[in-house]
Amino acid sequence: GQTQHPELNITELAVGDKLLKDVGNANGDTEEVEVSTLTVETHSTITVYNLDVTDSPSGNDTYVVNNYIVHNK
């Protein structure tokens, strides 16, 4: 990511970082959630998807995953 977007300060997720979460109502309200712990899980096989919506009408790379708002950069 940093190579493709040198103008951004891309860092690893860390305890104390804040995430934006969709509260799940019809108003699109969000809340900030602070990361309190990180757990690393290792699996022998994992499926990874590369979502590319650059040709979408909005041209937006923002997704909602388990109610957390993420942006693909």
Side-chain angles (χ1 to χ4, degrees):
Q2 191 71 56
T3 304
Q4 294 173 324
H5 299 282
E7 72 282 6
L8 299 176
N9 181 22
I10 299 172
T11 60
E12 288 189 30
L13 186 65
V15 171
D17 285 350
K18 293 194 167 70
L19 305 176
L20 200 55
K21 186 173 184 180
D22 182 349
V23 297
N25 63 22
N27 298 328
D29 295 334
T30 60
E31 66 177 334
E32 273 192 355
V33 178
E34 186 171 330
V35 176
S36 58
T37 60
L38 291 173
T39 303
V40 176
E41 294 182 14
T42 305
H43 301 276
S44 59
T45 303
I46 187 168
T47 302
V48 178
Y49 299 93
N50 182 12
L51 304 175
D52 182 3
V53 294
T54 54
D55 292 332
S56 72
S58 66
N60 192 335
D61 288 334
T62 302
Y63 310 92
V64 177
V65 179
N66 290 340
N67 288 352
Y68 288 94
I69 301 166
V70 296
H71 188 79
N72 185 17
K73 278 286 178 198

